[in-house]
Amino acid sequence: MVESEIGRPEGDEYTPFYAAYIARVSERDILGVLARQSEETRSAVGSVPDGRAGLMYSPCMWTIREILGHLS
């Protein structure tokens, strides 16, 4: 299977609001970056003990579980 590389988008392919986010990605292989981030996220989430996922670090703040639910 041949993997294709998706290069950096051209300036007319996104709105200016996203330019700073796009500039933060230094690698050219965005599919590789996304795959790596997926693995890193699974590892980080998996390292949170079940008993801590529902705790708030401060009153009226979201729990880790709520944050992950919101992001997904």
Side-chain angles (χ1 to χ4, degrees):
M1 180 169 139
V2 176
E3 298 214 12
S4 60
E5 182 179 298
I6 298 176
R8 184 168 300 283
E10 299 296 325
D12 62 350
E13 295 180 303
Y14 57 89
T15 61
F17 174 83
Y18 295 102
Y21 295 110
I22 292 169
R24 292 186 60 140
V25 179
S26 59
E27 294 92 345
R28 293 215 21 97
D29 178 19
I30 191 63
L31 295 178
V33 171
L34 292 172
R36 189 172 63 251
Q37 285 179 345
S38 177
E39 293 167 14
E40 292 169 355
T41 301
R42 265 193 227 105
S43 177
V45 170
S47 70
V48 176
D50 288 337
R52 296 191 51 90
L55 297 178
M56 287 183 225
Y57 70 89
S58 182
C60 299
M61 301 306 276
W62 289 15
T63 65
I64 294 171
R65 184 178 295 119
E66 290 170 331
I67 293 169
L68 292 173
H70 177 75
L71 293 174
S72 64

